[in-house]
Amino acid sequence: MPASPSPIRRGAPTHEVLNQPPPLADYNLFAGDRALQEAVGREGAGWAMQELHALGTELGRAETIELGFAANRHKPELHAFDRFGNRRDEIEFHPAWHGMMALGVRHGLHSSPWADPKPGAHVARAAGTYMLTQIESGAYCPIAMTYGSVPTLRRHAGLAAEWLPRIFSRDYDPCFRPATEKTGALLGMGMTEKQGGSDLRANLTEAVADGTGGAYRITGHKWFLSAPMCDAFLMLAQAPKGPSCFLVPRWTPDGERNGLRLQRLKDKLGNRSNASSEVELVDAWGWLIGEEGRGIPIIIEMSNLTRLDCAIGSAGLIRQAVTQAIHHARHRTAFQRKLVDQPVMMNVLADLALESEAATLLTLRLAAAYDRESDPAEALLARLLTPVTKYWTCKRAPSVTLEALEVLGGNGYVEESIMPRLYREAPVNSVWEGSANVICLDVRRVMGRSPETIDQLRAELARARGGHAAFDVFLAGLEDELAAHATTEEALARRLVGRIALGLQAALLIRHAPAAMADAFCATRLEGGAPAALGTLPAGADCRAIIERAAIA
């Protein structure tokens, strides 16, 4: 006879919460990241360890993590007019956004390498922004733009003297008022227009000299004005001699609102906490930076730094996605075993960990090249590695975040988890500051115009020669491709850039990571490129050792 059903316990809860991982909170993002700590010390920023530990603690607190969630739940709102019909052109942000911005500025992530230059300053700042973007990526945008603007501003001594002290301030001042009345300032940029996109020479916005000490009046439209809450913007406009670069503040010198008419905020896939807008420029004041007609070469200098930040941001997203996946797998049981102990899951997690460490090592190596730009070899390497690193790291982020999300199953698909936000965020860095085709064509252009950059790339790769048999075979093939790059079809640009990136990542892992990681990476990435699906490490890969290295310490 069948057993009688158990009686219902009256007054008992309807269910118990079992077999769920604890929240990943109140942890130190820096202390728990072995690869990051090692890279910071190795690349010359060991002096910053204490401050990075402090930042890692602050970012990992439960209340800071909640700021990131709240800033994304409560999107910015545009107030184009007041109730009487007067122009306001102001954006209202949730207090959580301001909290995240204040944290980033307080730690100098917007300007510290320029305000306090020293060996390793760009590496230290890269490590900080890498951690920031794991908690809230939207706040990274104005911080990145401000960081990238400094070398451009320094081309104009008067503007630099006026604006750099405000930019170097670690006071975050969100008030909408003239910069002369504020304790700190942030800069954005407005380059693209609806008819041109990446083709900046197709811009139609016009600038006419005002006749008052380098001032111009600018009229036109920008399809994307990044971080429109900022105090001023670097913009391109057509002057009589061609595309030129201008600094356009939100307020005129006499304290009136400048002619920037915010039209709407973009309804974006991700990066929701951050405002991106369209803007009409109506007789707006701007100041010429550099020579008329030289705006695009001038702005490329800023673009290289913001491309570095795109790579850092993607590496940070990858790291957070992998961290969440490993945390879940270490606490979740299925079929009488922890997920992290199940062979197929171990393979997936280890493969994810390889992607994370490879991205971290490559981006920190690139940041180090900016620290060493007084060395001509490092300057050449930075010029080539910036688009290479931006392309590859940003391309890997969407597939890595997707695979990490799947580790959490249905729990990873709901908004209470951070995983949907990471997945939505992953494509943005690939799109901004030059999409993949533009970036890969830039690599071709750099190699064609400056063949000495290839020599420096060869020297960097050669440091790992003899460290792994598969790498040596790969390197020989890549050498042939580099030698023939001038005659390689343009359609193959992505293939070559991807192979350069993989070679660099493999070389760094061979030199600086445990042998288990270098062996697994070389075995799966150096023949035919990155695998179509993650979780395909070969038999014999030490998955457990790789996972333990990537897990929060």
Side-chain angles (χ1 to χ4, degrees):
M1 227 182 129
S4 299
S6 300
I8 296 175
R9 292 179 292 159
R10 298 193 180 280
T14 57
H15 69 278
E16 294 181 74
V17 177
L18 303 172
N19 196 25
Q20 291 283 352
L24 180 57
D26 294 320
Y27 73 106
N28 188 316
L29 275 71
F30 188 70
D33 191 335
R34 298 169 182 83
L36 179 62
Q37 290 182 74
E38 292 172 9
V40 165
R42 181 174 60 248
E43 302 295 359
W47 51 265
M49 291 287 188
Q50 184 175 353
E51 183 172 354
L52 291 170
H53 270 281
L55 176 58
T57 297
E58 190 170 359
L59 286 168
R61 289 176 183 151
E63 54 266 34
T64 307
I65 293 170
E66 177 52 32
L67 288 180
F69 278 94
N72 281 272
R73 280 195 304 270
H74 304 282
K75 296 193 294 185
E77 297 181 8
L78 170 63
H79 299 288
F81 300 92
D82 67 15
R83 65 192 182 97
F84 302 107
N86 300 305
R87 297 285 323 193
R88 280 184 62 186
D89 298 299
E90 296 182 46
I91 299 170
E92 180 182 353
F93 291 88
H94 189 268
W97 163 267
H98 295 302
M100 291 303 306
M101 288 296 301
L103 188 158
V105 171
R106 184 169 65 252
H107 284 273
L109 301 182
H110 66 304
S111 64
S112 56
W114 315 118
D116 186 19
K118 64 179 73 172
H122 287 280
V123 169
R125 185 254 174 196
T129 51
Y130 166 94
M131 292 189 289
L132 174 70
T133 197
Q134 294 182 49
I135 304 303
E136 182 9 50
S137 292
Y140 193 5
C141 179
I143 283 173
M145 299 294 169
T146 304
Y147 164 71
S149 72
V150 173
T152 302
L153 281 175
R154 283 177 167 164
R155 291 175 172 269
H156 190 299
L159 291 176
E162 178 184 358
W163 282 91
L164 291 187
R166 300 172 191 145
I167 290 172
F168 292 168
S169 168
R170 292 198 178 192
D171 290 332
Y172 171 64
D173 187 341
C175 296
F176 182 47
R177 57 191 176 196
T180 54
E181 301 173 14
K182 297 183 64 171
T183 59
L186 298 171
L187 265 65
M189 61 189 297
M191 302 297 155
T192 58
E193 299 182 7
K194 53 183 175 286
Q195 76 282 349
S198 297
D199 183 3
L200 297 178
R201 294 194 178 279
N203 282 7
L204 299 176
T205 296
E206 294 184 346
V208 177
D210 185 75
T212 55
Y216 284 64
R217 292 302 185 103
I218 302 172
T219 300
H221 179 271
K222 293 297 177 182
W223 191 236
F224 279 97
L225 182 70
S226 298
M229 78 298 290
C230 287
D231 299 285
F233 306 90
L234 291 173
M235 289 192 184
L236 286 178
Q238 295 283 358
K241 293 183 180 179
S244 305
C245 181
F246 298 88
L247 179 72
V248 182
R250 291 294 304 271
W251 297 78
T252 66
D254 58 4
E256 298 295 324
R257 297 179 190 224
N258 205 358
L260 281 77
R261 308 293 187 243
L262 302 182
Q263 301 299 297
R264 61 171 174 165
L265 299 186
K266 300 289 192 178
D267 188 5
K268 298 171 292 183
L269 167 68
N271 207 250
R272 293 179 176 180
S273 66
N274 177 45
S276 300
S277 69
E278 292 177 39
V279 63
E280 297 283 351
L281 293 104
V282 182
D283 210 25
W285 284 87
W287 279 263
L288 178 68
I289 297 178
E291 301 175 19
E292 271 195 17
R294 296 290 298 164
I296 292 177
I298 288 172
I299 214 65
I300 283 175
E301 186 173 33
M302 179 180 184
S303 294
N304 281 335
L305 289 164
T306 48
R307 285 174 177 179
L308 165 63
D309 271 350
C310 285
I312 295 167
S314 290
L317 291 172
I318 289 171
R319 169 61 185 172
Q320 180 62 207
V322 175
T323 298
Q324 293 286 339
I326 293 176
H327 175 76
H328 178 86
R330 293 174 91 186
H331 291 89
R332 179 79 162 180
T333 297
F335 310 110
Q336 292 79 52
R337 282 191 295 179
K338 295 287 189 187
L339 289 178
V340 74
D341 294 326
Q342 300 191 23
V344 178
M345 180 61 78
M346 288 177 65
N347 198 306
V348 170
L349 294 173
D351 221 357
L352 289 169
L354 289 180
E355 288 286 339
S356 181
E357 182 142 354
T360 301
L361 267 57
L362 183 55
T363 52
L364 269 290
R365 175 63 184 92
L366 174 58
Y370 281 90
D371 274 317
R372 303 165 189 157
E373 277 195 305
S374 59
D375 179 344
E378 289 288 319
L380 289 168
L381 201 59
R383 182 64 187 95
L384 182 60
L385 260 59
T386 298
V388 168
T389 305
K390 195 270 191 191
Y391 166 70
W392 190 249
T393 306
C394 296
K395 272 294 174 207
R396 297 304 295 158
S399 58
V400 172
T401 53
L402 172 60
E403 194 68 58
L405 183 155
E406 189 175 330
V407 171
L408 277 67
N411 286 347
Y413 199 67
V414 297
E415 290 294 338
E416 287 88 345
S417 141
I418 196 175
M419 303 306 287
R421 174 149 54 101
L422 298 177
Y423 186 51
R424 285 195 303 270
E425 202 72 42
V428 70
N429 290 314
S430 191
V431 173
W432 282 356
E433 300 308 322
S435 57
N437 290 348
V438 171
I439 293 295
C440 292
L441 291 175
D442 188 35
V443 174
R444 282 175 56 94
R445 190 160 43 248
V446 171
M447 293 193 299
R449 292 179 178 175
S450 304
E452 61 271 27
T453 59
I454 301 176
D455 296 333
Q456 297 308 319
L457 172 63
R458 289 191 177 107
E460 182 72 13
L461 292 168
R463 294 182 182 182
R465 182 177 281 122
H468 196 283
F471 176 77
D472 290 350
V473 172
F474 176 88
L475 187 56
L478 181 58
E479 286 276 7
D480 292 341
E481 292 178 67
L482 291 171
H485 78 90
T487 58
T488 302
E489 293 182 30
E490 185 177 297
L492 300 179
R494 285 193 181 206
R495 181 180 187 277
L496 177 57
V497 177
R499 284 174 61 77
I500 293 171
L502 284 170
L504 288 164
Q505 288 183 327
L508 289 165
L509 288 167
I510 290 168
R511 293 171 58 206
H512 305 304
M517 302 197 78
D519 290 344
F521 189 92
C522 291
T524 52
R525 269 70 170 175
L526 298 189
E527 290 297 329
L534 291 159
T536 57
L537 299 183
D542 194 345
C543 294
R544 189 174 299 280
I546 295 170
I547 294 166
E548 286 303 311
R549 176 171 170 82
I552 293 293

